[in-house]
Amino acid sequence: MELRTAASPRDVKHYTTERLREEFLIQNVFEADEIKLVYSHIDRIITGSATPVEKELKLTAGDELRAEYFLQRREMGVINIGGAGCITIDGKTYEVAHKDGMYVGMGKKDITFASVDKENPAKFYINSAPAHAVYPTVLIKREGTPADDVVIVKDVNKVELGTLEESNHRTICKYILPGQVESCQLEMGMTSLEPGSVWNTMPSHTHDRRMEVYLYFELPEDAFVMHYMGEPQETRHIVMRNEEAVISPSWSIHSGSGSRNYSFIWGMVGENQDFDDMDGIDNRDLM
């Protein structure tokens, strides 16, 4: 597990491009037959993946957590952006299709990841946060029939925003948040831009009560997203390629513009789970 420390906005305004990327960009997120994790001191979020191809992968705590097992004091969200896969949790196996998700509550001990077809392997994207209480483990599907431990992303949690004229026509699917799937502090979802739209999270905002991580995907090899970060009057950018993630501290904006449309997964960790709790930035005030 890679460790990353927190960064002060006073320091970040002096960073070079190389240093910005070193501190906030997560590259090579999905590595075949590996579980890859990055532990950030910013709200103690863990971001990473499990990419089983030839073998099943077991999630362990590692030395960094000083825990008996990964979710001893944590909760976890997972969204699969690859082929069909399976997640087995304490002996129960869940079939997790493309763009299905899971919330896994604190206290679950034995967790393994597998792909149905090694020619089209699953790509399980992971966000994990410290937890203080146990919430039910839930399979989150985009369509189908609800069950005791299966939730369907309801229409009310599929929000269409923006316009083609403003280049930001997009659909937000909320996976983990109050009223949909309960958690201690972790929230996750997915935003997809329509063809012809390239801007996300614009007008931009900050939210001092939680940080955020974006995973950009569904980009061709030659495409990119310019991810904008920093204080509103001290903005910087990071060039993002397909299936790369970026850490956004609570004091930073987190907007992007792409060379074409794309999708991204957002994960938030902090003390306030109100999705609309944000401090908007007027476009005229950005520098």
Side-chain angles (χ1 to χ4, degrees):
M1 190 182 305
E2 179 187 348
L3 296 179
R4 300 204 188 178
T5 55
S8 164
R10 296 179 64 183
D11 295 332
V12 170
K13 66 178 66 177
H14 302 295
Y15 284 1
T16 62
T17 297
E18 181 180 6
R19 180 71 185 279
L20 276 176
R21 293 171 68 84
E22 180 182 299
E23 295 289 341
F24 300 108
L25 177 64
I26 304 174
Q27 295 182 291
N28 304 313
V29 174
F30 300 96
E31 297 280 2
D33 287 322
E34 289 187 18
I35 292 179
K36 181 172 181 177
L37 301 171
V38 174
Y39 182 115
S40 172
H41 284 192
I42 303 174
D43 282 313
R44 302 286 170 175
I45 192 171
I46 293 177
T47 301
S49 69
T51 314
V53 180
E54 299 287 346
K55 59 184 180 181
E56 186 177 78
L57 300 177
K58 181 178 177 62
L59 182 63
T60 61
D63 295 336
E64 294 81 4
L65 293 185
R66 301 293 193 273
E68 295 178 25
Y69 51 95
F70 190 85
L71 293 183
Q72 185 177 12
R73 300 183 295 270
R74 288 185 157 268
E75 60 186 356
M76 180 172 70
V78 182
I79 296 178
N80 178 18
I81 66 166
C86 296
I87 302 177
T88 301
I89 302 169
D90 288 348
K92 181 171 183 175
T93 297
Y94 297 84
E95 296 181 3
V96 185
H98 179 64
K99 292 187 177 178
D100 283 355
M102 284 209 72
Y103 171 79
V104 188
M106 181 178 70
K108 298 298 184 182
K109 292 184 177 180
D110 296 317
I111 302 172
T112 59
F113 302 88
S115 291
V116 172
D117 180 4
K118 68 178 183 180
E119 300 301 322
N120 183 26
K123 293 181 177 181
F124 297 108
Y125 177 64
I126 296 169
N127 281 177
S128 172
H132 59 271
V134 176
Y135 285 91
T137 292
V138 177
L139 173 63
I140 307 160
K141 302 186 72 65
R142 291 168 67 91
E143 57 183 22
T145 303
D148 288 343
D149 53 1
V150 178
V151 167
I152 309 302
V153 178
K154 304 168 189 173
D155 288 341
V156 68
N157 286 316
K158 292 181 181 177
V159 181
E160 190 171 342
L161 295 175
T163 65
L164 184 60
E165 289 76 15
E166 294 179 308
S167 302
N168 64 355
H169 186 195
R170 62 202 187 276
T171 300
I172 301 173
C173 288
K174 302 173 184 178
Y175 284 54
I176 301 171
L177 79 166
Q180 165 84 7
V181 173
E182 301 295 332
S183 67
C184 286
Q185 60 169 317
L186 176 66
E187 294 181 290
M188 287 185 77
M190 180 186 301
T191 298
S192 297
L193 278 73
E194 297 295 328
S197 288
V198 297
W199 279 101
N200 77 70
T201 324
M202 182 58 65
S204 58
H205 61 259
T206 60
H207 27 67
D208 278 344
R209 293 142 297 278
R210 59 182 184 264
M211 61 82 69
E212 195 157 8
V213 176
Y214 280 1
L215 172 79
Y216 290 103
F217 69 106
E218 294 187 332
L219 280 162
E221 186 176 349
D222 62 345
F224 63 90
V225 173
M226 302 288 283
H227 179 84
Y228 302 105
M229 63 161 295
E231 294 177 290
Q233 282 74 50
E234 286 282 354
T235 58
R236 303 290 185 270
H237 74 269
I238 299 176
V239 177
M240 308 283 302
R241 304 292 177 179
N242 189 45
E243 296 181 357
E244 293 184 341
V246 61
I247 300 168
S248 178
S250 59
W251 47 262
S252 175
I253 66 166
H254 35 280
S255 295
S257 60
S259 59
R260 53 155 294 157
N261 66 310
Y262 51 89
S263 296
F264 65 98
I265 294 172
W266 42 268
M268 295 185 282
V269 172
E271 66 175 355
N272 193 337
Q273 291 186 295
D274 179 3
F275 184 82
D276 294 320
D277 175 24
M278 57 188 73
D279 302 308
I281 311 298
D282 192 299
N283 285 343
R284 292 166 292 188
D285 294 330
L286 289 171
M287 298 177 63

PDB file of all heavy atoms in Angstrom, residues 92-107:
ATOM      1  N   LYS A  92     -20.153 -15.488   1.301  1.00  0.00           N
ATOM      2  CA  LYS A  92     -21.272 -15.226   0.400  1.00  0.00           C
ATOM      3  C   LYS A  92     -20.781 -14.532  -0.860  1.00  0.00           C
ATOM      4  O   LYS A  92     -20.071 -13.524  -0.783  1.00  0.00           O
ATOM      5  CB  LYS A  92     -22.322 -14.353   1.082  1.00  0.00           C
ATOM      6  CG  LYS A  92     -23.533 -14.078   0.183  1.00  0.00           C
ATOM      7  CD  LYS A  92     -24.665 -13.395   0.915  1.00  0.00           C
ATOM      8  CE  LYS A  92     -25.871 -13.206   0.001  1.00  0.00           C
ATOM      9  NZ  LYS A  92     -27.042 -12.640   0.695  1.00  0.00           N
ATOM     10  N   THR A  93     -21.151 -15.070  -2.017  1.00  0.00           N
ATOM     11  CA  THR A  93     -20.661 -14.542  -3.297  1.00  0.00           C
ATOM     12  C   THR A  93     -21.730 -13.667  -3.960  1.00  0.00           C
ATOM     13  O   THR A  93     -22.897 -14.056  -4.065  1.00  0.00           O
ATOM     14  CB  THR A  93     -20.274 -15.691  -4.243  1.00  0.00           C
ATOM     15  OG1 THR A  93     -19.200 -16.434  -3.658  1.00  0.00           O
ATOM     16  CG2 THR A  93     -19.806 -15.149  -5.590  1.00  0.00           C
ATOM     17  N   TYR A  94     -21.284 -12.489  -4.401  1.00  0.00           N
ATOM     18  CA  TYR A  94     -22.146 -11.545  -5.112  1.00  0.00           C
ATOM     19  C   TYR A  94     -21.645 -11.413  -6.545  1.00  0.00           C
ATOM     20  O   TYR A  94     -20.443 -11.234  -6.774  1.00  0.00           O
ATOM     21  CB  TYR A  94     -22.100 -10.169  -4.450  1.00  0.00           C
ATOM     22  CG  TYR A  94     -22.608 -10.123  -3.031  1.00  0.00           C
ATOM     23  CD1 TYR A  94     -21.775 -10.453  -1.964  1.00  0.00           C
ATOM     24  CD2 TYR A  94     -23.914  -9.725  -2.753  1.00  0.00           C
ATOM     25  CE1 TYR A  94     -22.234 -10.395  -0.654  1.00  0.00           C
ATOM     26  CE2 TYR A  94     -24.384  -9.662  -1.444  1.00  0.00           C
ATOM     27  CZ  TYR A  94     -23.536 -10.004  -0.403  1.00  0.00           C
ATOM     28  OH  TYR A  94     -23.994  -9.942   0.883  1.00  0.00           O
ATOM     29  N   GLU A  95     -22.567 -11.490  -7.506  1.00  0.00           N
ATOM     30  CA  GLU A  95     -22.221 -11.271  -8.908  1.00  0.00           C
ATOM     31  C   GLU A  95     -22.297  -9.774  -9.195  1.00  0.00           C
ATOM     32  O   GLU A  95     -23.357  -9.160  -9.049  1.00  0.00           O
ATOM     33  CB  GLU A  95     -23.169 -12.045  -9.822  1.00  0.00           C
ATOM     34  CG  GLU A  95     -23.062 -13.559  -9.645  1.00  0.00           C
ATOM     35  CD  GLU A  95     -24.001 -14.310 -10.570  1.00  0.00           C
ATOM     36  OE1 GLU A  95     -24.701 -13.648 -11.386  1.00  0.00           O
ATOM     37  OE2 GLU A  95     -24.038 -15.549 -10.487  1.00  0.00           O
ATOM     38  N   VAL A  96     -21.172  -9.199  -9.597  1.00  0.00           N
ATOM     39  CA  VAL A  96     -21.063  -7.752  -9.778  1.00  0.00           C
ATOM     40  C   VAL A  96     -20.781  -7.488 -11.253  1.00  0.00           C
ATOM     41  O   VAL A  96     -19.655  -7.660 -11.732  1.00  0.00           O
ATOM     42  CB  VAL A  96     -19.955  -7.160  -8.888  1.00  0.00           C
ATOM     43  CG1 VAL A  96     -19.945  -5.643  -8.989  1.00  0.00           C
ATOM     44  CG2 VAL A  96     -20.158  -7.583  -7.429  1.00  0.00           C
ATOM     45  N   ALA A  97     -21.799  -7.071 -11.973  1.00  0.00           N
ATOM     46  CA  ALA A  97     -21.678  -6.846 -13.413  1.00  0.00           C
ATOM     47  C   ALA A  97     -21.018  -5.493 -13.687  1.00  0.00           C
ATOM     48  O   ALA A  97     -20.701  -4.728 -12.787  1.00  0.00           O
ATOM     49  CB  ALA A  97     -23.058  -6.915 -14.060  1.00  0.00           C
ATOM     50  N   HIS A  98     -20.841  -5.204 -14.983  1.00  0.00           N
ATOM     51  CA  HIS A  98     -20.267  -3.930 -15.418  1.00  0.00           C
ATOM     52  C   HIS A  98     -21.091  -2.765 -14.878  1.00  0.00           C
ATOM     53  O   HIS A  98     -22.310  -2.709 -15.036  1.00  0.00           O
ATOM     54  CB  HIS A  98     -20.234  -3.883 -16.944  1.00  0.00           C
ATOM     55  CG  HIS A  98     -19.686  -2.619 -17.525  1.00  0.00           C
ATOM     56  ND1 HIS A  98     -18.390  -2.209 -17.347  1.00  0.00           N
ATOM     57  CD2 HIS A  98     -20.279  -1.669 -18.299  1.00  0.00           C
ATOM     58  CE1 HIS A  98     -18.197  -1.069 -17.978  1.00  0.00           C
ATOM     59  NE2 HIS A  98     -19.339  -0.718 -18.564  1.00  0.00           N
ATOM     60  N   LYS A  99     -20.438  -1.866 -14.178  1.00  0.00           N
ATOM     61  CA  LYS A  99     -21.009  -0.667 -13.565  1.00  0.00           C
ATOM     62  C   LYS A  99     -21.947  -0.957 -12.393  1.00  0.00           C
ATOM     63  O   LYS A  99     -22.630  -0.061 -11.903  1.00  0.00           O
ATOM     64  CB  LYS A  99     -21.679   0.239 -14.612  1.00  0.00           C
ATOM     65  CG  LYS A  99     -20.660   0.864 -15.562  1.00  0.00           C
ATOM     66  CD  LYS A  99     -21.276   1.895 -16.491  1.00  0.00           C
ATOM     67  CE  LYS A  99     -20.196   2.543 -17.365  1.00  0.00           C
ATOM     68  NZ  LYS A  99     -20.767   3.527 -18.318  1.00  0.00           N
ATOM     69  N   ASP A 100     -21.958  -2.197 -11.903  1.00  0.00           N
ATOM     70  CA  ASP A 100     -22.581  -2.467 -10.617  1.00  0.00           C
ATOM     71  C   ASP A 100     -21.632  -2.030  -9.508  1.00  0.00           C
ATOM     72  O   ASP A 100     -20.415  -1.887  -9.724  1.00  0.00           O
ATOM     73  CB  ASP A 100     -22.873  -3.960 -10.447  1.00  0.00           C
ATOM     74  CG  ASP A 100     -24.099  -4.425 -11.230  1.00  0.00           C
ATOM     75  OD1 ASP A 100     -24.780  -3.565 -11.822  1.00  0.00           O
ATOM     76  OD2 ASP A 100     -24.345  -5.642 -11.245  1.00  0.00           O
ATOM     77  N   GLY A 101     -22.158  -1.839  -8.318  1.00  0.00           N
ATOM     78  CA  GLY A 101     -21.335  -1.447  -7.183  1.00  0.00           C
ATOM     79  C   GLY A 101     -21.653  -2.260  -5.950  1.00  0.00           C
ATOM     80  O   GLY A 101     -22.604  -3.057  -5.923  1.00  0.00           O
ATOM     81  N   MET A 102     -20.855  -2.059  -4.902  1.00  0.00           N
ATOM     82  CA  MET A 102     -21.118  -2.695  -3.615  1.00  0.00           C
ATOM     83  C   MET A 102     -20.729  -1.750  -2.492  1.00  0.00           C
ATOM     84  O   MET A 102     -19.742  -1.007  -2.615  1.00  0.00           O
ATOM     85  CB  MET A 102     -20.332  -3.995  -3.447  1.00  0.00           C
ATOM     86  CG  MET A 102     -20.876  -5.172  -4.219  1.00  0.00           C
ATOM     87  SD  MET A 102     -20.507  -6.754  -3.423  1.00  0.00           S
ATOM     88  CE  MET A 102     -21.615  -6.723  -2.004  1.00  0.00           C
ATOM     89  N   TYR A 103     -21.511  -1.782  -1.418  1.00  0.00           N
ATOM     90  CA  TYR A 103     -21.081  -1.202  -0.152  1.00  0.00           C
ATOM     91  C   TYR A 103     -20.802  -2.361   0.786  1.00  0.00           C
ATOM     92  O   TYR A 103     -21.652  -3.264   0.944  1.00  0.00           O
ATOM     93  CB  TYR A 103     -22.143  -0.294   0.456  1.00  0.00           C
ATOM     94  CG  TYR A 103     -21.777   0.128   1.863  1.00  0.00           C
ATOM     95  CD1 TYR A 103     -20.844   1.139   2.075  1.00  0.00           C
ATOM     96  CD2 TYR A 103     -22.315  -0.514   2.964  1.00  0.00           C
ATOM     97  CE1 TYR A 103     -20.469   1.504   3.361  1.00  0.00           C
ATOM     98  CE2 TYR A 103     -21.954  -0.144   4.253  1.00  0.00           C
ATOM     99  CZ  TYR A 103     -21.025   0.860   4.446  1.00  0.00           C
ATOM    100  OH  TYR A 103     -20.648   1.205   5.723  1.00  0.00           O
ATOM    101  N   VAL A 104     -19.625  -2.352   1.402  1.00  0.00           N
ATOM    102  CA  VAL A 104     -19.233  -3.419   2.319  1.00  0.00           C
ATOM    103  C   VAL A 104     -18.999  -2.795   3.691  1.00  0.00           C
ATOM    104  O   VAL A 104     -18.132  -1.920   3.840  1.00  0.00           O
ATOM    105  CB  VAL A 104     -17.972  -4.163   1.838  1.00  0.00           C
ATOM    106  CG1 VAL A 104     -17.723  -5.389   2.702  1.00  0.00           C
ATOM    107  CG2 VAL A 104     -18.111  -4.570   0.368  1.00  0.00           C
ATOM    108  N   GLY A 105     -19.766  -3.235   4.678  1.00  0.00           N
ATOM    109  CA  GLY A 105     -19.724  -2.615   5.983  1.00  0.00           C
ATOM    110  C   GLY A 105     -18.556  -3.054   6.847  1.00  0.00           C
ATOM    111  O   GLY A 105     -17.913  -4.093   6.605  1.00  0.00           O
ATOM    112  N   MET A 106     -18.292  -2.267   7.851  1.00  0.00           N
ATOM    113  CA  MET A 106     -17.231  -2.556   8.804  1.00  0.00           C
ATOM    114  C   MET A 106     -17.442  -3.930   9.441  1.00  0.00           C
ATOM    115  O   MET A 106     -18.558  -4.336   9.738  1.00  0.00           O
ATOM    116  CB  MET A 106     -17.220  -1.479   9.893  1.00  0.00           C
ATOM    117  CG  MET A 106     -16.137  -1.647  10.937  1.00  0.00           C
ATOM    118  SD  MET A 106     -16.126  -0.318  12.174  1.00  0.00           S
ATOM    119  CE  MET A 106     -17.640  -0.688  13.088  1.00  0.00           C
ATOM    120  N   GLY A 107     -16.329  -4.636   9.665  1.00  0.00           N
ATOM    121  CA  GLY A 107     -16.372  -5.919  10.346  1.00  0.00           C
ATOM    122  C   GLY A 107     -16.341  -7.126   9.438  1.00  0.00           C
ATOM    123  O   GLY A 107     -16.126  -8.248   9.915  1.00  0.00           O
TER     124      GLY A 107
END
